[in-house]
């Protein structure tokens, strides 16, 4: 018995000693919590991949090319993943060597497998789980896919058919899902975009509906009572709240852990604060970053709802910020889908000079392969041209210089079918707009077709309900025409019918980066007519015209300050109606001496106005055109093109300037105008203005 108690005593004492050791052994300090997210910072923009030209190429930053870079994710080790849709339909990764490599896919289709043996159709949002597996919203396949770190692809849920059905993975159906997020417990949240619902996939693969009901709308509340309108992205925050980018509602929505939907930012009755939120990232302390479709900005939304642009403005915007990811240091990774680039956004450091980085698509980006086709039948015939890029346009409120014309207008009859001129794939989740309005249109790849009833004939009957879905309200009123991201069209496919504007407007390139569609080269289009110059004027600082003449020359005071050079000119193309006036392609000027020789610095014309690429600024129209331009002035229905040649609008850039007579000595000079159309025809008559520079007194 004594021995028994001795053993027990030893065991007890040993246990106490071990416990004391554990209690008193120094431990590593707990990791410090991440610092608060700075508010209101401005981004330094760096390039991670892409040269702005659509293509299929892997390699270093400037050597890689994408077709439609959308979803983006980054793991703890710094490996970057990108979903490249369009014609590429693949998953890429950028490792520490800075080069992009293919993880899986490469051909459009629907197939599981390893690496290049797998098939995707328009992959959009992506998200990583804690094991390094990548989950993909495979939009065109209406499925959620899983990709292991080794590139093994499997289907988690969805059978490739659009629809709405809860149930076990293979039996469930989605309708163009675009966003995906993964919780720590393995649940997968899905923005089921064209079902206007948020779905959840349990770890056992069963799909259920978390929130949202039949049809688009804006309603807060529990589960199925809530309504969304085209949700495109989802993210989980540190507290388990799900954030939703609610695209058409211009709102950020929250879904609590118990399924209650509320609006975080935005109001159906208030002023718009978000402009097409398409993608988002959420920090540990509830700060959201949002990529906006309509503005081309990346904005920061504070926990109190304050919205500040981190990157992108009217003059330097992204083409379509489609994917955002938060790096470990709090900086951002951005996929600019229509810019064909991937960027890194980090807070600017005082004194750190930003190396200019080109944004948006490159001017060298290939044009659509229309092979001479027009958007109306006969596609290889001839049609009258009624408008070109860069022409001055007014509005319906009496403003004659409201905006620059962004495309190429082809006259047609009201109700005439509008036809696709090139093969294309819908990339935007909001591919149609302005239902019933004069500017109603459809975005198809690099082309916008405007001034038509999308998907409908003249009687508003559906033309192609499988690809262009007509959405009606409970009252039977047509509310929306929806065309899913990933939908393909071929040349000659009917897209809609001409509305009461009696022409089709073709725009090439995303908003703010439009290129001159005349470069497409339409069958039987010809322009052998030289532009006409009607007037040359010099305007003083009060926009008053100089009129005094001396010996047949315009008298110009040298000390009167800078002057604007304004030229009224217009063009025509072959076979158009004689009354049809069109804008010019380029204009410039030279200063010559009295004998007609160019002065130093003017050996070549200063071609300040070249309408090859649209500047994004709304103010560009008033830089390019003088105040009495347009068609709403003087009671005239004839467009007046009065160009300001001392300002610069070309290559997507905008600048204002003046001619400074004080820089020249007194004497006689000639101002010679260069005015050309796209075909190279130049005005010959009326292009010179003799002037005499004089000192005061």
């Amino acid at each position: 018995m004594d021995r028994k108690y001795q053993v027990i005593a030893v065991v007890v004492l040993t246990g106490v000693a071990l416990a004391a050791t554990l209690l008193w052994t120094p431990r590593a300090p707990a990791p410090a919590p991440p610092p608060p997210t700075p508010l209101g910072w401005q981004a330094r923009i760096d390039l991670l991949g892409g040269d702005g030209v659509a293509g299929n190429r892997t390699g270093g930053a400037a050597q890689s090319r994408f077709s439609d870079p959308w979803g983006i994710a980054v793991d703890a080790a710094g490996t970057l993943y990108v979903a490249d849709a369009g014609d590429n339909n693949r998953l890429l990764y950028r490792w520490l060597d800075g080069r992009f490599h293919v993880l899986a896919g490469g051909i459009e289709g629907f197939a599981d497998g390893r690496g290049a043996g797998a098939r995707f159709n328009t992959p959009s949002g992506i998200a990583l789980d804690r094991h390094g597996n990548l989950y993909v919203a495979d939009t065109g396949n209406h499925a959620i896919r899983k990709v292991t770190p080794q590139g093994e692809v499997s289907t988690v849920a969805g059978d490739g058919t659009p629809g709405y059905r809860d149930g076990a993975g293979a039996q469930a159906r989605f309708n163009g899902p675009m966003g995906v997020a993964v919780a720590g417990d393995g649940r997968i949240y899905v923005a089921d975009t064209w079902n206007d619902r948020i779905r959840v996939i349990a770890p056992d693969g069963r799909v259920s509906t978390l929130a949202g009901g039949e049809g688009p709308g804006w309603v807060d509340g529990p589960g199925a009572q809530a309504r969304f309108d085209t949700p495109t992205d989802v993210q989980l925050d540190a507290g388990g709240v799900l954030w939703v980018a609610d695209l058409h509602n211009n709102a950020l929505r929250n879904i609590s852990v118990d399924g209650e939907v509320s609006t975080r930012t935005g109001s159906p009755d208030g002023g718009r604060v978000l402009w097409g939120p398409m993608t988002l990232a959420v920090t540990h302390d509830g700060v959201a970053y949002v990529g906006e479709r309509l503005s081309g900005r990346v904005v920061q939304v504070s926990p109190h709802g304050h919205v500040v642009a981190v990157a992108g403005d009217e003059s330097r915007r992204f083409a379509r910020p489609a994917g955002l990811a938060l790096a470990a240091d709090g900086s951002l990774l951005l996929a600019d889908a229509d810019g064909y680039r991937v960027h890194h956004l980090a807070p600017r450091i005082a004194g750190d000079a930003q190396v200019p980085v080109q944004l948006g698509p490159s001017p060298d980006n290939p044009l659509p392969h229309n092979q001479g086709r027009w958007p109306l039948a006969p596609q290889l015939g001839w049609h009258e041209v009624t408008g070109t890029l860069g022409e001055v346009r007014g509005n319906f409120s009496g403003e004659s210089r409201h905006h620059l014309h962004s495309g190429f207008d082809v006259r047609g009859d009201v109700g005439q079918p509008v036809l696709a001129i090139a093969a294309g794939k819908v990339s935007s989740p909001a591919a149609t707009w302005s239902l019933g309005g004069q500017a109603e249109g459809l975005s198809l790849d690099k082309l916008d077709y405007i001034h038509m009833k999308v998907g409908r004939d003249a009687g508003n009957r559906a033309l192609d309900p499988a690809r262009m879905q007509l959405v009606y309200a409970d009252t039977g009123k047509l509310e929306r025409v929806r065309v899913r991201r990933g939908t393909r069209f071929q040349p000659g496919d009917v897209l809609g019918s001409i509305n009461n504007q009696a022409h089709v407007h073709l725009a090439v390139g995303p908003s703010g980066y439009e290129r001159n569609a005349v470069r497409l080269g339409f069958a039987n289009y010809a322009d052998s007519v030289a532009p006409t110059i009607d007037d040359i004027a010099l305007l003083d600082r009060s926009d008053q015209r100089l009129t005094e003449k001396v010996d047949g020359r315009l008298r110009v005071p040298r000390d009167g300050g800078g002057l604007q050079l304004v030229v009224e000119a217009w063009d025509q193309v072959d076979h158009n109606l004689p009354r049809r006036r069109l804008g010019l392609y380029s204009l410039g000027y030279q200063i010559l001496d009295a004998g007609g020789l160019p002065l130093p610095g003017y050996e070549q014309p200063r071609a300040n106005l070249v309408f090859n690429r649209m500047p994004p600024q709304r103010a560009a129209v008033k830089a390019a055109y003088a105040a009495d331009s347009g068609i709403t002035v003087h009671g005239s229905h004839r467009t007046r093109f009065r160009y300001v040649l001392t300002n610069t609008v070309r290559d997507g850039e905008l600048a204002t300037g003046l001619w400074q007579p004080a820089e020249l000595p007194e004497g006689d000079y000639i101002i010679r105008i260069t005015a050309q159309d796209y075909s190279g025809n130049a005005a010959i008559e009326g292009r010179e203005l003799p002037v005499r520079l004089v000192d005061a007194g």
Side-chain angles (χ1 to χ4, degrees):
M1 293 292 294
D2 291 344
R3 182 174 179 81
K4 175 180 178 182
Y5 288 125
Q6 289 176 356
V7 171
I8 293 174
V10 170
V11 171
V12 170
L13 290 172
T14 303
V16 170
L18 288 173
T21 302
L22 292 174
L23 287 171
W24 292 101
T25 299
R27 297 183 180 180
T37 301
L39 299 178
W41 56 276
Q42 298 294 297
R44 171 193 172 96
I45 305 172
D46 292 305
L47 180 71
L48 293 180
D51 63 354
V53 176
N56 183 342
R57 194 167 71 192
T58 55
Q63 288 72 46
S64 53
R65 284 184 174 172
F66 311 103
S67 177
D68 182 17
W70 201 275
I72 191 167
V74 61
D75 65 18
T79 302
L80 179 69
Y81 298 89
V82 178
D84 186 20
D87 290 330
N88 290 346
N89 298 289
R90 61 187 181 176
L91 276 300
L92 303 172
Y93 68 94
R94 179 183 182 271
W95 205 40
L96 300 179
D97 61 1
R99 298 176 63 84
F100 283 88
H101 310 267
V102 177
L103 177 64
I107 298 175
E108 189 166 293
F110 189 13
D112 292 340
R114 179 182 286 268
R119 301 285 183 267
F120 298 93
N121 183 350
T122 320
S124 298
I126 58 177
L128 287 159
D129 70 9
R130 57 194 179 92
H131 302 294
N133 299 305
L134 197 66
Y135 291 85
V136 183
D138 195 2
T139 305
N141 283 325
H142 314 285
I144 305 302
R145 317 289 294 282
K146 175 183 176 182
V147 187
T148 68
Q150 295 75 37
E152 190 72 37
V153 178
S154 58
T155 299
V156 177
D159 64 354
T161 303
Y164 170 62
R165 189 167 67 198
D166 287 339
Q171 283 72 50
R173 283 186 174 170
F174 302 90
N175 192 354
M178 285 192 58
V180 63
V182 185
D185 62 3
R187 284 181 296 176
I188 305 165
Y189 295 90
V190 179
D192 193 3
T193 304
W194 282 274
N195 275 327
D196 300 294
R197 292 177 167 99
I198 306 303
R199 315 284 290 281
V200 60
I201 307 173
D204 64 1
R206 186 166 187 82
V207 178
S208 59
T209 299
L210 179 64
E214 187 70 29
W218 192 342
V219 179
D220 288 341
Q225 295 181 28
R227 292 290 183 273
F228 300 91
D229 192 341
T230 321
T232 52
D233 199 6
V234 286
Q235 293 290 330
L236 282 162
D237 69 13
V241 173
L242 190 70
W243 293 60
V244 181
D246 199 1
L247 179 66
H248 264 299
N249 282 331
N250 297 301
L252 293 184
R253 314 286 295 282
N254 283 167
I255 307 177
S256 67
V257 292
D258 57 0
E260 185 78 17
V261 177
S262 60
T263 298
R264 183 65 175 245
T265 305
S267 169
D269 303 318
R272 184 186 300 190
V273 294
L274 295 176
W275 295 82
M278 194 160 61
T279 182
L280 74 157
V282 184
T283 70
H284 66 93
D285 50 357
V287 175
Y289 294 100
V290 180
E292 296 182 319
R293 184 185 69 89
L294 294 174
S295 70
R297 304 183 303 172
V298 174
V299 301
Q300 182 190 66
V301 183
S302 77
H304 300 291
H306 299 128
V307 178
V308 177
V310 169
D313 55 31
E314 190 182 50
S315 61
R316 257 179 79 75
R317 57 179 291 175
F318 299 106
R320 182 179 290 157
L324 278 176
L326 198 64
D329 62 357
S331 62
L332 294 170
L333 304 164
L334 169 70
D336 186 9
D338 278 357
Y340 313 105
R341 304 177 195 266
V342 176
H343 294 287
H344 180 227
L345 312 181
R348 292 180 190 167
I349 301 174
D352 184 19
Q354 164 77 72
V355 177
V357 173
Q358 185 175 352
L359 303 185
S362 166
D364 300 325
N365 201 44
L367 291 165
H369 299 296
N370 65 309
Q371 298 179 310
R373 299 183 193 89
W374 297 78
L376 302 173
Q379 288 199 278
L380 296 179
W382 173 86
H383 299 274
E384 186 173 14
V385 176
T386 60
T388 58
L389 187 85
E391 292 182 3
V392 60
R393 288 290 188 270
N395 60 15
F396 297 108
S397 301
E399 170 57 71
S400 65
R401 296 181 299 160
H402 181 260
H403 62 277
L404 292 176
H405 189 244
S406 63
F408 184 81
D409 289 347
V410 182
R411 197 204 71 80
D413 297 327
V414 174
Q416 186 174 355
V418 178
L419 310 176
I421 66 172
K425 184 178 184 180
V426 172
S427 57
S428 173
T432 67
W433 57 86
S434 300
L435 178 74
Q438 60 93 11
E440 183 177 351
L442 168 70
S443 181
L444 175 56
D445 200 2
K446 299 181 182 72
L447 287 165
D448 287 352
Y449 299 77
I450 306 175
H451 302 313
M452 66 173 178
K453 295 182 175 183
V454 178
R456 316 184 306 283
D457 65 12
N460 279 325
R461 293 177 291 267
L463 291 169
D464 187 352
R467 290 188 290 184
M468 295 177 281
Q469 178 192 7
L470 275 55
V471 180
Y472 293 90
D474 294 339
T475 60
K477 179 182 177 182
L478 181 63
E479 281 192 334
R480 185 89 51 86
V481 178
R482 280 182 149 177
V483 186
R484 297 186 194 95
R485 170 170 157 79
T487 303
R488 285 196 176 274
F489 291 89
Q490 297 301 319
D493 284 353
V494 179
L495 305 177
S497 59
I498 295 179
N499 66 15
N500 59 11
Q501 294 298 297
H503 68 272
V504 180
H505 173 104
L506 282 177
V508 181
S511 176
Y513 294 97
E514 294 94 341
R515 298 160 68 189
N516 202 316
V518 73
R519 296 180 59 193
L520 291 169
F522 297 94
N524 300 309
Y525 172 87
D527 182 0
S528 60
V529 182
T532 298
I533 295 177
D534 284 338
D535 182 52
I536 305 173
L538 290 173
L539 307 184
D540 64 17
R541 68 184 66 181
S542 300
D543 288 340
Q544 297 300 307
R545 179 176 185 145
L546 303 186
T547 58
E548 184 180 350
K549 290 192 175 182
V550 180
D551 298 331
R553 292 178 175 272
L554 185 68
R555 182 180 184 276
V556 179
R558 292 182 62 249
D559 56 355
L563 301 173
Q564 292 184 76
L565 174 60
V566 176
V567 174
E568 183 166 356
W570 49 279
D571 190 32
Q572 290 183 312
V573 299
D574 296 5
H575 312 304
N576 264 14
L577 292 174
R579 65 177 175 81
R580 189 76 69 191
R581 290 189 172 189
L582 301 174
L584 275 67
Y585 179 71
S586 69
L587 298 101
Y589 70 100
Q590 291 173 286
I591 308 297
L592 315 177
D593 63 20
L597 295 177
L599 298 184
Y602 289 94
E603 292 83 0
Q604 297 298 321
R606 295 186 178 182
N608 290 340
L609 302 182
V610 181
F611 297 105
N612 56 350
R613 190 177 187 189
M614 285 284 286
Q617 300 95 326
R618 179 71 73 176
V621 64
K622 293 185 178 179
Y625 292 94
D628 49 356
S629 299
I631 61 173
T632 62
V633 294
H634 309 308
S636 171
H637 291 289
R638 175 174 288 179
T639 305
R640 300 184 70 199
F641 301 110
R642 293 185 60 79
Y643 298 96
V644 184
L645 271 63
T646 41
N647 291 337
T648 299
V649 176
R650 61 173 297 167
D651 302 321
E653 301 295 331
L654 167 66
T656 57
L658 297 170
W659 178 48
Q660 302 291 344
E663 295 177 354
L664 299 176
E666 283 189 295
D668 292 343
Y669 300 91
I670 299 170
I671 301 176
R672 177 178 291 170
I673 305 303
T674 300
Q676 293 184 316
D677 58 28
Y678 180 76
S679 298
N681 303 303
I684 301 298
E685 299 180 356
R687 65 178 183 148
E688 293 187 348
L689 176 66
V691 299
R692 176 167 294 173
L693 271 58
V694 298
D695 289 330

